[in-house]
Every structure is written in structure tokens, then in C-alpha cells.
Amino acid sequence: MARVGGELKLLGLWASPFVTRAKLALQIKGLSYEYVEEDLGNKSELLLSSNPVHKAVPVLIHNGKPVCESSVIVQYIDDAFAGTGPSLLPADPYQRAVARFWAAYLEDKLVEPWFKMLDGTRTRAEMGEGVKQMLAAVATLEGALAQCSKGRPFFGGDGVGYVDVALGGLLVWVRASEVLLGVKFLDAARTPLLAAWAERFASLDAAKATLPDFGRVIKHAMMRRGAAAAALAQNN
Amino acid sequence: MAGEKKQGLQLLDFWVSPFGQRCRIALDEKGLSYEYLEQDLANKSELLLRANPVHKKIPVLLHAGRPVCESLIIVQYLDEAFPATPALLPAGDPYARAQARFWADYVDKKLYDCGTRLWKLKGDGHAQARTEMVEILRTLEGALGEGRFFGGEAFGFVDVALVPFTSWFLTYERFGDLSVEKECPKLAAWAKRCAERPSVAKNLYPPEKVYEFICGLKKRFGIE
């Protein structure tokens, strides 16, 4: 892999879908970097000083300068390493706006309800509502994929783009959620384009090299949910 | 303004929306002429529903009929589609651009929601919102540092993202029983500096008018 344009360090958590996005972007651009696994229960000095505002991962440190927030990091990687590997955002301003729109939509309509559901403290009614919201979001994304890809394999067209990375980073967690919640989110019957996209994305070399292990994620999610439920039971 | 020749730009918007104001300010900073189309949010137009079927919200920029949605996406689009106009995101500096995006994202994530809780909630919820609001404003002041503007010497992306909320400071102060001037004097000074710019002076409503609007909303939603 190319060691271009200085030193890259990524602070992350193996299971985090936001960290996975950053890893995907680096992998796709062919950039080498040092990965540092953080412990949320014992955050490093480096993490706290690099991201004092959110104290969260991922943080990309380029030549000692930190970049925070996965969407900002992915755009930065595309921007700072414009000459290296494929571009993640298209060149055309309108297409860029469309890509940014769908990436923002993901955060708002898919990620937010989903994270709320996985914390193990929701009532049955809240879970039902969350699942409905997520299914509606997935249905909308099916339309987005049709619009963006225009028959080609990815949101980015022939190659992986910004929205593919944003959604791809979530892929293992979406699959895990299907098991944990007993709901098929990427159903070939309801959303054929997305279901095919998911298979295609997961089989990419970049994905194989960066997506966390499915079995490990399921175990981790169950543990977290168990811990949250136990804490809730203790406080009631 | 660069002549009256319309660049085929229309803005679907709502007068008091700080998100809409970001776009108006950006358009003016860039000297781009456009048609402003006030929307009735209680009775959404066909045009709005067609232009933003996903969120059905303003602002929406139409450029030669093609819609761009989400205020910060619109501002970036204007930068990229009109490269000959003054840049709001620092040109040729990926790191500075990343910093700008980070802080604009921070404003988006934190300020509006906290402000809403401040005027809507009572008791513990209100107290928490007040504490958060002070923290948010102090954090933003920290990001401003010693510069005239968030990007340094030039009025830019983060300034555009935040400045519409300066009309809301009075509302936050009254509902939060706080003083921006006292808590964050540098931020207060920045707000005054921005208000001197024609694009800002023209597009922001007086703080009292925003306060009046929020009081009206409270009555309408039966929040006392």
C-alpha cells in the first residue's frame, strides 16, 4: 500500500460502524495507516486531546493534526488525498450535493432510530416504532439507490462512492440487527436493489479487509444489551 | 449584486428559519441573485413537496429547476457550483475545510435542539438545557479563538452556519435566564461584527421579532 502524504493514525473501536467508514475510505484509497484500538472505559490521552469536544471515535490524525466525525473524516480523506486512488465524491457539484444528501439521510433516519433501539432500554412499543422507522428508511434508500446508480453497481456508479462508504460501514450491524430484532431489513423481495448491493459490497476486497466479524458483533451487541437491561433492572 | 441576470436560482424558504437564512446569507455573500419564495408550512405547496419529497422541509434551493436540500449542503453546493464567487469553505486547504465542516456539524447537532428544549421544557429538563446551552456557547467561543471569524480573517462556512442563531440569542437569554455577553464576550463581539455585514444585516430578523415568534409558538402548542 502506498505511504503517501505523511503519517496517518486512526483511533477507533473494532465494532464501531463509524470507525469502519473511515477504515473503508482509507482502504479504498490505498492509504496505509496506524490503527489504535481505544478502550471506551479508559480513553487514551491521545483520544481526549484529539477530540476534546466529543471524546469519541473515529479520530483520524494526519501528520499530528486530528480530524473528527466520520462524515468529515471520509470527506477529508477524499480531499487531502485527491490524487491517490479513486475519488469517493463525484466531480459534478450537483451529484456531490445528492451524495451528501443521502449520507445525511442515513444518519438521520436509519442510524438514529437504530442506535436508540439497540441500547436495551426501550419499551416494546418504542421498539415497534423504531423498526417501522428503519423499514421506511430502507424503502426510501431503495429509491435512492435506483436514482444514484442508474443501473450501475453502486450509489457511486461503477465504483464505490461516498454513500456506499456511509452505508457500507453500517452493513455488519444491519445484518446483526436482523438477527437481534428478528426483522429482515435488507429483504430481496421488498428492496431488491439494496439486497443485491449489500451482497456486492460485502464481497469487495476493501470490505473483507475492514468490516468487523459478524459473529463477534452479534456477541458484542448481546452483551451490551444485556448490560443495559441489567442496569435498568437494577435501577427500577 | 452581480447584475440582475438570474442564474436560475430559487430559494424555497420560511422567513424566520435560521437554516433558510444560512442560504440567503451565502447567496448574498457570493453576489448571486435569486428568487425568494416564501412557503406556507401549514399548507405546503406542490412545488415544495415535489422539490423535497423526502423531508418536505425548507430550505430548498432550485438551480435551473434541480433541487438541493439541507442548508449546509446547499451552502457547499453554492461554493462548488459557483467557483468564481468568494469561497465560504477555505479553498485549497483540506484540513481547514475539515475543521469548518466539523464546527458546522457541531452547530447543527447541538444548538437548535438545545434551544428548543430551553423554551419548551420546565423543571429538570429546562435546567439541563440551560447548562447545555452555556456549554455549547462556550465551546463555540473556544473554537472562535482569537480570530475575527471562525475561519480566521475571512467570513466563512462556520460563520454562515452559526450567524442566523445570533437572532435567537435574546430568546435563549430570556428563556434560559442567561447572558451571552457575560458568558461568552468574544462570541457576543463576533455576533456584532457579523451584523455589520450587509448579507447578515439584510437577512436576519430583529431578536425581538424571533422572541415574539417563539412566544406565539408556545401559545399555539399550549406550552405555558
Side-chain angles (χ1 to χ4, degrees):
Chain A
M1 269 213 264
R3 188 171 192 80
V4 181
E7 211 178 75
L8 284 166
K9 192 182 279 191
L10 181 68
L11 309 184
L13 289 171
W14 70 269
S16 161
F18 307 106
V19 172
T20 303
R21 285 171 175 168
K23 285 183 180 170
L24 279 165
L26 289 162
Q27 191 81 16
I28 290 161
K29 300 279 276 177
L31 299 165
S32 59
Y33 61 99
E34 181 195 344
Y35 178 74
V36 177
E37 179 74 15
E38 285 287 333
D39 174 0
L40 278 196
N42 185 21
K43 293 176 185 178
S44 73
E45 259 315 298
L46 182 58
L47 174 57
L48 296 174
S49 60
S50 304
N51 193 356
V53 174
H54 300 301
K55 303 176 175 58
V57 292
V59 178
L60 181 75
I61 305 176
H62 185 199
N63 291 332
K65 298 197 291 189
V67 182
C68 309
E69 293 300 293
S70 66
S71 62
V72 178
I73 291 171
V74 173
Q75 288 188 78
Y76 175 73
I77 289 168
D78 205 34
D79 215 353
F81 297 94
T84 308
S87 287
L88 294 171
L89 276 168
D92 173 65
Y94 188 74
Q95 296 311 322
R96 289 164 80 91
V98 172
R100 286 182 178 127
F101 176 85
W102 288 115
Y105 178 84
L106 278 186
E107 292 312 85
D108 198 18
K109 302 292 184 184
L110 193 66
V111 176
E112 229 196 81
W114 179 34
F115 264 61
K116 282 201 186 120
M117 284 198 297
L118 292 181
D119 70 14
T121 67
R122 302 292 143 182
T123 66
R124 219 188 183 83
E126 285 171 328
M127 294 292 276
E129 185 54 43
V131 168
K132 246 175 57 188
Q133 285 175 4
M134 278 183 68
L135 285 171
V138 171
T140 302
L141 285 167
E142 174 80 358
L145 180 53
Q147 176 198 51
C148 295
S149 68
K150 301 202 221 304
R152 289 164 305 162
F154 299 103
F155 283 91
D158 292 313
V160 169
Y162 185 61
V163 183
D164 301 283
V165 169
L167 186 55
L170 311 176
L171 201 49
V172 176
W173 275 92
V174 174
R175 294 261 187 247
S177 300
E178 292 184 325
V179 171
L180 295 168
L181 301 172
V183 177
K184 196 122 179 65
F185 289 110
L186 296 173
D187 185 335
R190 267 200 312 261
T191 55
L193 293 178
L194 268 179
W197 171 89
E199 295 296 321
R200 193 178 302 130
F201 189 90
S203 59
L204 290 171
D205 286 338
K208 286 195 205 144
T210 53
L211 298 194
D213 175 68
F214 174 70
R216 210 179 158 199
V217 166
I218 294 252
K219 254 201 340 222
H220 171 85
M222 283 182 172
M223 252 169 41
R224 249 176 54 176
R225 193 169 60 173
L232 192 67
Q234 223 174 12
N235 295 335
N236 281 330
Chain B
M1 203 73 76
E4 269 318 297
K5 170 176 173 258
K6 286 219 183 87
Q7 271 101 352
L9 291 166
Q10 295 170 303
L11 184 68
L12 309 184
D13 204 347
F14 182 67
W15 68 278
V16 77
S17 164
F19 305 100
Q21 287 166 331
R22 287 169 169 174
C23 306
R24 291 172 238 168
I25 290 167
L27 285 156
D28 283 355
E29 285 286 323
K30 289 171 164 298
L32 295 167
S33 54
Y34 67 100
E35 185 185 3
Y36 179 90
L37 296 168
E38 178 73 8
Q39 298 299 299
D40 178 356
L41 297 184
N43 186 18
K44 292 177 181 176
S45 69
E46 260 312 300
L47 180 59
L48 175 57
L49 296 175
R50 245 188 2 249
N52 192 356
V54 174
H55 299 299
K56 305 175 174 57
K57 285 181 176 178
I58 57 92
V60 181
L61 179 81
L62 290 163
H63 185 195
R66 290 197 303 184
V68 182
C69 307
E70 299 296 298
S71 62
L72 294 180
I73 293 177
I74 292 170
V75 174
Q76 289 186 82
Y77 173 74
L78 290 171
D79 246 14
E80 291 171 352
F82 297 96
T85 62
L88 290 169
L89 274 168
D93 188 343
Y95 190 74
R97 277 208 286 281
Q99 291 304 99
R101 288 191 176 114
F102 175 86
W103 286 110
D105 175 71
Y106 181 85
V107 174
D108 258 8
K109 271 193 173 81
K110 300 281 195 176
L111 194 55
Y112 187 72
D113 177 72
C114 184
T116 302
R117 279 183 284 126
L118 199 57
W119 62 260
K120 265 195 180 157
L121 302 180
K122 295 221 152 331
D124 285 346
H126 178 267
Q128 183 168 348
R130 189 201 179 276
T131 306
E132 272 180 46
M133 180 54 76
V134 173
E135 196 191 304
I136 290 166
L137 294 172
R138 284 202 186 136
T139 302
L140 286 168
E141 187 174 66
L144 178 61
E146 298 306 316
R148 282 174 53 77
F149 299 108
F150 279 86
E153 284 310 295
F155 184 81
F157 192 63
V158 183
D159 305 285
V160 171
L162 182 58
V163 77
F165 292 95
T166 58
S167 307
W168 293 65
F169 283 174
L170 179 72
T171 301
Y172 300 157
E173 286 175 336
R174 289 211 179 132
F175 284 106
D177 186 27
L178 55 99
S179 158
V180 176
E181 178 79 53
K182 223 190 312 172
E183 300 287 349
C184 309
K186 284 202 190 117
L187 194 65
W190 164 84
K192 285 204 181 86
R193 200 174 297 132
C194 289
E196 291 164 6
R197 299 182 81 79
S199 68
V200 175
K202 176 182 162 231
N203 290 302
L204 296 195
Y205 284 90
E208 283 292 352
K209 201 135 173 78
V210 173
Y211 180 70
E212 198 181 285
F213 172 76
I214 292 299
C215 290
L217 274 191
K218 281 191 77 153
K219 267 211 188 82
R220 209 154 18 112
F221 290 132
I223 307 164
E224 265 327 308

